[in-house]
């Protein structure tokens, strides 16, 4: 059974894509901690635990995530792009990339934003433009 993230990467469920290549997909979190909060996933591996990934997929995921983080930092005014790997809410390995102003911005117990669809599309497009420049 495909995970919701696999369905998103396959285009079966709509998303706000910020980057993609043959093996990895990045899209905006629909319940973000901050504008630009992005999820990065492997397309072909649905394992729910980062450290179960084979070495090539693991390394490729981080290389892709780094490029996405650079694009987020260029598109979204922030001091840093924080990284978190929790993986308990969806059984598919994923990396959270969150624009930060302070360390406290990476607290998953915080209330989440509820941005409008139009704003999400604007944010995704701005990150994708930066990603494509890299």
């Amino acid at each position: 059974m495909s995970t919701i993230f696999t369905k998103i990467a396959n285009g079966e469920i709509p998303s706000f894509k910020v980057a993609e290549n043959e093996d990895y997909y990045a899209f905006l979190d629909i319940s973000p901690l901050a504008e630009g909060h992005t999820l990065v996933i492997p397309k072909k591996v649905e394992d729910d635990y980062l450290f179960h990934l084979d070495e090539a997929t693991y390394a490729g995921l981080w290389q892709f995530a780094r490029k996405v983080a650079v694009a987020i930092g260029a598109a979204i005014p922030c001091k840093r792009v924080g990284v978190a790997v929790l993986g308990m809410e969806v059984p598919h390995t994923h990396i959270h990339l969150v624009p930060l102003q302070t360390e406290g911005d990476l607290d998953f117990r915080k209330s989440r934003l509820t941005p409008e669809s139009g704003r999400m599309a604007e944010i995704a497009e701005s990150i994708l433009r930066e990603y494509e420049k890299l």
Side-chain angles (χ1 to χ4, degrees):
M1 184 71 136
S2 293
T3 69
I4 190 170
F5 286 173
T6 297
K7 290 176 182 178
I8 288 170
N10 290 339
E12 298 168 35
I13 295 174
S15 68
F16 295 99
K17 177 176 78 170
V18 301
E20 179 179 23
N21 67 22
E22 182 180 326
D23 299 314
Y24 306 99
Y25 190 81
F27 57 101
L28 294 180
D29 190 312
I30 60 169
S31 184
L33 290 172
E35 286 193 342
H37 180 169
T38 299
L39 302 175
V40 181
I41 64 167
K43 287 181 175 179
K44 299 172 184 170
V45 180
E46 293 182 317
D47 198 296
D48 71 337
Y49 187 49
L50 177 71
F51 298 116
H52 286 169
L53 298 178
D54 64 84
E55 288 185 31
T57 302
Y58 178 87
L61 180 64
W62 284 106
Q63 288 173 342
F64 181 74
R66 180 192 176 280
K67 189 173 175 182
V68 173
V70 169
I72 292 168
I76 305 293
C78 61
K79 292 183 179 176
R80 297 265 195 271
V81 175
V83 177
V85 179
L86 306 171
M88 299 179 131
E89 59 281 349
V90 175
H92 189 130
T93 296
H94 55 288
I95 297 171
H96 292 263
L97 299 175
V98 182
L100 305 175
Q101 299 304 327
T102 70
E103 288 180 6
D105 294 340
L106 197 58
D107 182 348
F108 284 83
R109 296 169 296 184
K110 285 179 28 173
S111 294
R112 301 293 187 103
L113 303 177
T114 54
E116 293 182 8
S117 180
R119 180 64 182 143
M120 294 281 281
E122 289 173 9
I123 294 166
E125 289 170 19
S126 67
I127 296 170
L128 179 57
R129 275 194 304 275
E130 293 299 331
Y131 176 83
E132 290 173 342
K133 291 179 188 178
L134 301 173

